[in-house]
């Protein structure tokens, strides 16, 4: 009996142990994996953010530039150490940039809610400016270019906006600008249109269908759309030599720029007409409130543009054209990527002159102490034609011309100061601060594989100053560019720049 009992207990224990082992070996049910799904609502490259009904697309580019015969990226040698054309000027300048774009979209009962941001990380080589204050001190100091620093770099926020129910809030392209802005067929900076730089704004766009839209916008004028409000009474010889005709006397913001745009964007191309109103708000005549100030004056800008696509010369060939006129709103022509003062040196054959100099300045208005603002007029155009030789090669030609014109009262203010301060040899009769700025160039690009492009671009820039031929001015020592105190012949100048670029889009 004891033996039977022992066998039964042993068998039961074995079954329980075996059952326990089998239970432990059973797989635990795993949580379902949520795969990223393609979002086909808004085009290629969008995916649903897991667990949401929001679609996201990531993109951007990495770019490397090398420029010959300039000290800045995209621009000619128009001022500072670049315009000095001496041992402080760069023979080459380089830039590397990583760009990241984040686009999200969500379908709602009120329409699509969209956010878009474009962020950049940029490093640009700088240059060395003169640091001496006397003829015996020949030292130099490193000067960072825009978006650069030694062993560092700079973060840029190009776009950061929300779109909902026809409204745009945040940093987006100005409603004044065209899709190509100053780049009708090029990378070099051209005048003759509003600039590319996005701007903070509140905008409503009415969509009438078939590519016809009308937009109305209030946009920030501070960073992008103000040039100079010159108090000519505060002009100095050193400033005039750089193209600055007085102290830049801009006050705080009072009103945003008001912009309206009508656009037709269809398969054949694009037509656009834009208008902007710009408030010129100066600070004080002197160092404090008791010195008084000029009253505000509103300026304006108008622009028309045309793009023609797929012209008979080849598939994908394009012509882009823009024309603009401004009065008291010069940055809608000479945009924020261009300098607002110019000082370019060259050789001379004039007896008694050390070198030649072409200088000029762009302003929204000028005034003297005790008087009101005199608005500055500008006008210009730019255009470009791109031809595709095959899917891998394309070539473009481009050009731009822009003019700065001061009225007679403004010329009286400026010329009285120029003659008295820098001893203009031709006197009032030979004084004219008006000038023209022009660029012509060509670009060729090779795309050996999709989204990888190598570019060579050659641009020739011309500064056409209007002071009397053979005139000269006497300037003080300019230690920052190592120019001596001497007489300089006033003469037209030019600059030739070569851009080499490699860019990978993703």
């Amino acid at each position: 009996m004891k033996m039977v009992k022992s066998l039964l207990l042993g068998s039961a224990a074995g079954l329980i142990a075996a059952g326990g082992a089998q239970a432990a070996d059973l797989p635990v049910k795993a949580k379902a994996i949520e795969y990223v799904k393609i979002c086909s609502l808004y085009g290629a490259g969008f995916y649903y953010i897991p667990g949401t009904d929001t679609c996201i697309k990531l993109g951007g580019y990495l770019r490397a530039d090398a420029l010959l015969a300039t000290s800045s990226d995209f621009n000619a040698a128009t001022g500072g150490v670049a315009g000095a054309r001496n041992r402080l000027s760069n023979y080459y300048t380089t830039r590397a940039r990583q760009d990241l774009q984040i686009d999200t979209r969500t379908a709602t009962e009120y329409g699509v809610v969209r956010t878009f941001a474009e962020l950049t990380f940029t490093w640009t080589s700088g240059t060395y400016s003169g640091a001496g204050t006397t003829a015996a001190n020949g030292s130099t100091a490193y000067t960072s270019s825009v978006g650069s620093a030694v062993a560092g770099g700079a973060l840029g926020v190009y776009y950061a906006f929300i779109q909902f129910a026809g409204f745009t809030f945040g940093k987006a392209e100005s409603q004044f600008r065209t899709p190509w802005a100053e780049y009708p067929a090029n990378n070099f900076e051209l005048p003759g249109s509003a600039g590319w730089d996005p701007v903070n704004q509140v905008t409503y766009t009415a969509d009438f269908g078939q590519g016809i839209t009308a937009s109305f916008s209030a946009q920030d004028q501070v960073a992008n759309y103000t040039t100079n409000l010159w108090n000519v009474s505060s002009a100095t010889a050193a400033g005039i030599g750089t193209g600055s005709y007085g102290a830049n006397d801009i006050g705080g913001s009072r009103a945003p720029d008001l912009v309206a745009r009508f656009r037709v964007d269809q398969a054949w191309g694009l037509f656009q007409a834009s208008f902007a109103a710009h408030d010129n708000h100066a600070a004080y005549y002197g160092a404090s409130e008791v010195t008084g100030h000029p009253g505000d004056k509103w300026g304006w800008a108008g622009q028309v543009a045309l793009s023609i696509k797929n012209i008979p010369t080849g598939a994908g060939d394009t012509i882009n054209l823009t024309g603009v006129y401004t009065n008291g709103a010069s940055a809608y022509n000479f945009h924020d990527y261009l300098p607002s003062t110019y000082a370019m040196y060259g050789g001379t054959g004039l007896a008694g002159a050390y070198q030649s100099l072409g200088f000029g300045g762009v302003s929204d208005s000028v005034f003297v102490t005790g008087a009101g603002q005199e608005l500055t007029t500008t006008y210009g155009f730019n255009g470009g034609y791109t031809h595709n030789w095959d899917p891998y090669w394309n070539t473009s030609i481009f050009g731009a011309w822009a003019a700065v014109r001061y009225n007679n009262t403004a010329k009286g203010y400026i010329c009285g100061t120029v003659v008295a301060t820098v001893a203009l040899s031709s006197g009032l009769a030979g004084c004219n601060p008006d000038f023209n700025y022009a660029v012509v160039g060509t670009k060729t690009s090779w795309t050996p594989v999709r989204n990888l492009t190598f570019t060579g671009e050659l641009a020739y820039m011309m500064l056409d100053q209007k002071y009397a031929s053979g005139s000269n001015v006497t300037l003080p020592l300019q230690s920052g560019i190592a120019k001596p105190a001497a007489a300089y012949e006033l003469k037209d100048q030019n600059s030739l720049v070569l851009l080499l670029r490699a860019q990978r889009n993703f």
Side-chain angles (χ1 to χ4, degrees):
M1 178 64 68
K2 288 183 178 180
M3 184 179 291
V4 173
K5 187 176 180 181
S6 298
L7 287 172
L8 290 175
L9 290 173
S11 299
L15 290 171
I16 292 170
Q22 291 173 1
D25 290 341
L26 290 175
V28 178
K29 187 175 181 181
K31 194 173 183 178
I33 297 174
E34 189 170 8
Y35 294 98
V36 176
K37 297 185 297 183
I38 293 174
C39 175
S40 59
L41 297 174
Y42 310 110
F46 281 91
Y47 296 87
Y48 283 100
I49 299 174
T52 75
D53 59 355
T54 297
C55 300
I56 188 169
K57 180 180 180 180
L58 300 178
Y61 61 81
L62 196 150
R63 173 188 296 168
D65 288 350
L67 292 100
L68 306 184
T70 183
S71 297
S72 62
D73 199 80
F74 300 125
N75 283 324
T78 58
V81 293
R85 297 177 181 176
N86 57 19
R87 293 184 65 83
L88 301 182
S89 306
N90 283 0
Y91 278 6
Y92 69 91
T93 298
T94 60
R95 169 176 287 179
R97 170 175 291 164
Q98 173 66 71
D99 176 280
L100 175 63
Q101 300 165 12
I102 307 168
D103 192 345
T104 73
R105 307 191 194 190
T106 306
T108 74
E109 58 185 307
Y110 299 100
V112 175
V113 177
R114 183 191 184 199
T115 69
F116 184 84
E118 183 173 0
L119 311 175
T120 63
F121 303 89
T122 303
W123 191 91
T124 308
S125 59
T127 187
Y128 287 86
S129 298
T133 56
T134 69
N137 188 341
S139 64
T140 58
Y142 182 80
T143 302
S144 297
S145 298
V146 175
S148 72
V150 175
L155 170 67
V157 181
Y158 284 170
Y159 289 89
F161 64 80
I162 301 169
Q163 289 181 322
F164 174 65
F167 286 91
T168 299
F169 308 93
K171 196 171 189 229
E173 71 171 72
S174 169
Q175 304 306 305
F176 191 91
R177 91 173 200 203
T178 64
W180 57 89
E182 68 265 39
Y183 309 116
N186 54 286
N187 298 302
F188 193 85
E189 302 296 344
L190 302 181
S193 69
W196 176 89
D197 250 355
V199 59
N200 283 339
Q201 62 190 268
V202 177
T203 297
Y204 178 73
T205 299
D207 190 338
F208 302 105
Q210 298 184 334
I212 302 174
T213 59
S215 298
F216 305 91
S217 178
Q219 70 179 30
D220 179 29
Q221 61 150 278
V222 175
N224 296 17
Y225 289 102
T226 299
T227 59
N228 297 295
L229 306 185
W230 276 324
N231 183 348
V232 181
S233 296
S234 300
T236 64
I240 291 172
T242 66
S244 177
Y245 291 120
N248 196 1
D249 201 15
I250 300 170
S253 61
R254 288 296 181 271
D257 283 8
L258 304 177
V259 178
R261 177 178 75 187
F262 174 76
R263 178 181 285 182
V264 179
D265 191 352
Q266 298 177 342
W268 59 266
L270 176 145
F271 170 79
Q272 176 179 313
S274 310
F275 176 85
H278 173 80
D279 178 39
N280 293 292
H281 176 77
Y284 298 100
Y285 292 128
S288 73
E289 299 171 356
V290 299
T291 60
H293 59 82
D296 285 21
K297 268 196 175 181
W298 281 81
W300 62 275
Q303 177 178 267
V304 292
L306 179 67
S307 178
I308 305 174
K309 302 176 183 177
N310 297 315
I311 58 179
T313 56
D317 289 9
T318 304
I319 294 176
N320 295 322
L321 301 169
T322 309
V324 64
Y325 186 96
T326 77
N327 182 244
S330 300
Y332 288 93
N333 184 4
F334 287 83
H335 51 81
D336 64 319
Y337 277 8
L338 288 173
S340 60
T341 56
Y342 300 86
M344 304 173 66
Y345 290 82
T348 183
L350 184 66
Y354 173 70
Q355 289 180 341
S356 66
L357 168 65
F359 70 86
V362 182
S363 64
D364 292 331
S365 74
V366 299
F367 58 92
V368 293
T369 298
Q373 299 185 66
E374 299 295 328
L375 299 184
T376 304
T377 296
T378 79
Y379 44 89
F381 68 89
N382 66 44
Y385 162 63
T386 300
H387 172 62
N388 295 280
W389 302 101
D390 57 37
Y392 308 101
W393 290 89
N394 68 67
T395 297
S396 67
I397 54 174
F398 56 87
W401 179 89
V404 174
R405 298 292 183 263
Y406 293 94
N407 65 29
N408 289 335
T409 302
K411 285 180 179 178
Y413 295 159
I414 293 171
C415 288
T417 299
V418 168
V419 171
T421 307
V422 294
L424 180 67
S425 63
S426 57
L428 289 174
C431 179
N432 186 350
D434 296 346
F435 71 93
N436 302 328
Y437 181 101
V439 180
V440 294
T442 182
K443 173 175 73 73
T444 294
S445 296
W446 174 47
T447 305
V449 297
R450 184 180 179 185
N451 294 327
L452 176 64
T453 302
F454 299 92
T455 298
E457 181 171 345
L458 192 65
Y460 181 72
M461 170 264 165
M462 296 155 281
L463 181 68
D464 174 22
Q465 57 90 39
K466 298 300 181 182
Y467 289 97
S469 177
S471 297
N472 63 61
V473 293
T474 302
L475 298 180
L477 168 69
Q478 300 174 76
S479 59
I481 57 174
K483 293 297 181 182
Y488 293 85
E489 177 192 5
L490 296 182
K491 185 179 179 181
D492 297 347
Q493 304 291 334
N494 52 67
S495 176
L496 182 66
V497 176
L498 174 65
L499 166 68
L500 302 175
R501 167 175 291 174
Q503 180 165 321
R504 169 76 161 101
N505 298 336
F506 61 88

